[in-house]
């Protein structure tokens, strides 16, 4: 559900039509990040949405999720782990292959940063179709980690991404796909 700050944040997100291909509206958060007050509001709002879940740790999805999860984790006094594409993490990892609308992919998390029984919240900048987030939830589930919920800055409405997750989720802004 959008928060009272949503209209203020909306004006700091640049809309780029037909990127990366015709018919796609790209919501560019770099303009929000360039404005300290808007970024601070986004972090504070997302932290308020995350806190009631009472997570042991946050898990951020590559790569823009890192930008939001790190300061939220510091604010909430919890650690953070990263879900990345295959081959980007050193050491032993847990992996999960999944299908996308246009092919296959693999997500991974460092094996020593999540433990069975741990309770986490996933943080990302945007949810569209929900494919990568659902794959991250499935990966964590296989490891024995409980995903309490997900928090996003932006939800693209009309794509049903949140419905695919199987866990509660919150989005600060709801924008048309």
């Amino acid at each position: 559900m959008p928060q009272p700050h949503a209209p203020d944040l909306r004006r700091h997100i640049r809309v780029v039509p037909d990127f990366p291909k015709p018919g796609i509206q790209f919501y560019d958060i770099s303009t929000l990040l360039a404005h300290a007050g808007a970024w601070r509001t986004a972090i504070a709002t997302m932290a308020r949405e995350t806190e009631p879940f009472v997570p042991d740790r946050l898990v951020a999805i590559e790569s823009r999720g890192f930008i939001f999860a790190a300061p939220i984790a510091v604010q909430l006094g919890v650690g953070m782990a990263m879900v990345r594409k295959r081959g980007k993490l050193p050491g032993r990892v847990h992996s999960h292959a999944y299908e996308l609308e246009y092919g296959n992919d693999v997500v991974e998390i460092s094996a020593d940063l999540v433990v069975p029984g741990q309770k986490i919240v996933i943080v990302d900048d945007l949810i569209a179709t929900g494919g990568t987030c659902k794959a991250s939830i499935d990966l964590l589930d296989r490891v024995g980690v409980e995903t309490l919920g997900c928090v996003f800055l932006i939800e693209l409405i009309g794509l049903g991404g949140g419905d695919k997750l199987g866990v509660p989720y919150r989005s600060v802004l709801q924008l048309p796909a």
Side-chain angles (χ1 to χ4, degrees):
M1 167 147 226
Q3 297 299 307
H5 298 93
D8 293 335
L9 293 178
R10 223 176 246 125
R11 69 185 176 93
H12 292 287
I13 297 172
R14 178 174 37 203
V15 179
V16 182
D18 299 319
F19 183 81
K21 61 184 185 178
I24 302 289
Q25 283 216 111
F26 182 79
Y27 292 99
D28 182 10
I29 63 163
S30 62
T31 49
L32 180 138
L33 299 174
H35 189 278
W39 190 11
R40 187 175 18 260
T41 297
I43 295 301
T45 305
M46 291 175 76
R48 278 194 303 277
E49 293 294 330
T50 304
E51 191 171 27
F53 288 112
V54 192
D56 299 321
R57 177 163 294 161
L58 300 185
V59 170
I61 298 176
E62 182 172 351
S63 66
R64 293 182 299 183
F66 304 167
I67 295 168
F68 294 95
I72 294 168
V74 169
Q75 189 169 327
L76 298 181
V78 299
M80 184 190 103
M82 299 176 288
V83 168
R84 301 203 66 188
K85 303 280 171 109
R86 181 187 352 221
K88 303 267 184 147
L89 293 169
R92 197 168 71 80
V93 297
H94 297 294
S95 299
H96 177 69
Y98 66 105
E99 291 186 28
L100 298 162
E101 306 82 57
Y102 50 85
N104 300 313
D105 214 339
V106 175
V107 289
E108 297 180 331
I109 193 163
S110 295
D112 59 343
L113 296 181
V114 289
V115 294
Q118 200 168 40
K119 296 177 183 327
I120 65 94
V121 169
I122 293 175
V123 174
D124 204 359
D125 70 315
L126 182 140
I127 182 167
T129 63
T132 303
C133 190
K134 177 62 173 146
S136 300
I137 292 167
D138 292 344
L139 167 64
L140 294 164
D141 187 52
R142 284 186 30 225
V143 176
V145 172
E146 181 182 354
T147 302
L148 301 171
C150 304
V151 175
F152 307 98
L153 176 64
I154 299 168
E155 175 184 7
L156 297 184
I157 55 174
L159 298 179
D163 298 335
K164 297 175 186 169
L165 302 179
V167 298
Y169 74 97
R170 308 282 185 268
S171 55
V172 174
L173 300 170
Q174 295 176 327
L175 302 174

